[in-house]
Amino acid sequence: MRNLTLSTVQISILQAEDVIQFSSPTSDDASVVLSAIAFDLDRNTTFAGTESSKGVVSIWRTSDNVSSTPGSGSFVFCGLYTSPNARIASLRVLSESNQLVLVTLPGDIVVWELDESGDFVGEADGLGTVESGIAAVAWSPDDSLLALATDAPINVGWGSKETQFHGSIGRAHLKADKDQANVECESLVDNDRPRITWRGDGAYFAVSSRSSRLQRVIRVYSREGRLQSTSETVPGLEASAAWRPNGGLIASTQNDIRSGPQDARKSGKYDVVFFERNGLRHGEFSLRRPHEEDGSGYKVKDLVWSPDSAVLAVWIEKLDGDVVQLWTTGNYHW
């Protein structure tokens, strides 16, 4: 493990009373959650998105007095978007076009223009709606393409001034595979939602999804949306998927933890597993877990690579608090 040094700490407070005031000013029974953030590196600004049970998405940004002292910085209200059952799938700053883009799970794509300070210029501009809803979203590394996964995945092309829908990339590929119907259910905690991850050069993207009600596979598509490969079957494969920016491997996780002392069918390990672009498995390593843990309160939520492909961050949810493990490799050893 490489030595890491804390560089900067910035603390901003999103006041609960402010969120309630702007999100549900006339309702006492509405619940509000913070569900998305987006970073604007050019303006050194962080945007946050909250959603209420009344279908209101509110957008906030850090104020100019962000500080390392708790409570001294705060978020300021920017604007809101209202739609029935509005929930956030993605919030992204497009630096070249000075836009903040909101994608909702019900299928709406909404844009705000940004001025030099990060304030909104005008009201939200609705660009379109995917009627079947959106299950997963991922922007290409250069922010020129937006990949959306639904029951029938849609590839969205993003131009300099307008967006166009380019059609289906294979309805049949995400439907149930009949020949796998006899496979044992692998993950009882899987939420069935797909995950999308792009290769660093934007030439390919991968989708982790259920090939049937019983197992997950990873499918690789070209930038044009053509299916390139489907991964081999891996028992216990989970939803996490992260393509190493240098293009080498796609990382995911395999939960093979035993359900009890008598469960001899599984190895008892929780592994990070790797796949090549052609779908073949290519190595793994086991995550570090306390010996007393049986795995019931231990789950990988996400995987993230550093931009230089040197460090893999593993976000782990635990009953006593989340942890992030940072992994590096040398001489094929993690």
Side-chain angles (χ1 to χ4, degrees):
M1 171 60 71
R2 301 180 180 182
N3 293 325
L4 300 178
T5 302
L6 184 63
S7 173
T8 304
V9 176
Q10 294 185 342
I11 301 174
S12 294
I13 305 299
L14 183 55
Q15 301 291 344
E17 55 268 26
D18 292 338
V19 175
I20 295 174
Q21 174 187 353
F22 287 102
S23 300
S24 304
T26 61
S27 177
D28 295 331
D29 61 346
S31 60
V32 181
V33 296
L34 174 63
S35 55
I37 58 174
F39 298 103
D40 187 345
L41 300 181
D42 293 338
R43 300 175 179 83
N44 194 28
T45 298
T46 300
F47 290 91
T50 60
E51 56 190 40
S52 79
S53 57
K54 300 300 181 180
V56 178
V57 173
S58 301
I59 306 298
W60 312 77
R61 69 169 179 84
T62 49
S63 61
D64 296 332
N65 62 332
V66 176
S67 170
S68 59
T69 303
S72 62
S74 62
F75 281 85
V76 295
F77 178 74
C78 295
L80 54 81
Y81 175 75
T82 303
S83 179
N85 197 31
R87 291 171 294 156
I88 300 175
S90 170
L91 190 66
R92 179 87 165 194
V93 174
L94 304 185
S95 298
E96 290 190 5
S97 57
N98 291 315
Q99 294 173 317
L100 179 70
V101 182
L102 167 71
V103 181
T104 69
L105 292 175
D108 296 333
I109 302 176
V110 184
V111 173
W112 287 273
E113 303 291 336
L114 302 176
D115 64 16
E116 293 184 357
S117 64
D119 290 328
F120 288 176
V121 180
E123 299 297 323
D125 183 15
L127 294 184
T129 299
V130 179
E131 296 296 340
S132 59
I134 296 172
V137 180
W139 287 90
S140 63
D142 61 359
D143 288 335
S144 64
L145 286 176
L146 177 62
L148 308 175
T150 68
D151 290 335
I154 295 174
N155 194 21
V156 177
W158 193 273
S160 59
K161 294 183 179 179
E162 61 183 1
T163 185
Q164 295 179 341
F165 289 82
H166 293 295
S168 172
I169 60 174
R171 180 185 302 268
H173 295 308
L174 289 189
K175 289 195 173 182
D177 293 338
K178 302 296 185 181
D179 58 343
Q180 297 294 340
N182 60 344
V183 180
E184 178 189 2
C185 183
E186 301 295 354
S187 179
L188 297 179
V189 296
D190 197 312
N191 61 11
D192 290 335
R193 292 180 60 182
R195 296 281 188 92
I196 307 174
T197 178
W198 284 83
R199 200 170 78 169
D201 61 1
Y204 299 93
F205 64 92
V207 180
S208 170
S209 63
R210 289 280 196 178
S211 64
S212 69
R213 296 298 299 173
L214 302 177
Q215 66 174 12
R216 272 189 180 268
V217 296
I218 296 176
R219 294 182 174 88
V220 174
Y221 296 88
S222 69
R223 185 180 178 89
E224 293 75 26
R226 289 189 288 269
L227 180 66
Q228 304 293 302
S229 65
T230 301
S231 68
E232 61 181 274
T233 301
V234 175
L237 187 68
E238 295 187 315
S240 299
W243 204 322
R244 199 170 188 175
N246 64 13
L249 299 169
I250 303 169
S252 186
T253 52
Q254 179 186 18
N255 187 341
D256 212 31
I257 296 176
R258 298 187 179 99
S259 59
Q262 306 303 319
D263 188 1
R265 300 168 299 171
K266 299 183 178 181
S267 66
K269 298 189 299 181
Y270 207 147
D271 291 344
V272 173
V273 296
F274 299 101
F275 296 89
E276 300 175 3
R277 184 169 67 86
N278 59 12
L280 296 179
R281 183 167 172 173
H282 187 94
E284 71 281 321
F285 68 84
S286 295
L287 295 171
R288 295 178 179 175
R289 294 187 297 118
H291 294 296
E292 66 274 10
E293 290 198 17
D294 61 2
S296 59
Y298 186 100
K299 176 175 173 56
V300 173
K301 185 174 181 64
D302 206 359
L303 302 173
V304 180
W305 288 97
S306 63
D308 62 357
S309 298
V311 181
L312 178 63
V314 183
W315 177 7
I316 300 171
E317 285 186 325
K318 300 174 59 179
L319 294 178
D320 57 351
D322 291 7
V323 298
V324 175
Q325 295 182 0
L326 302 177
W327 292 83
T328 62
T329 183
N331 296 324
Y332 301 99
H333 175 73
W334 288 86

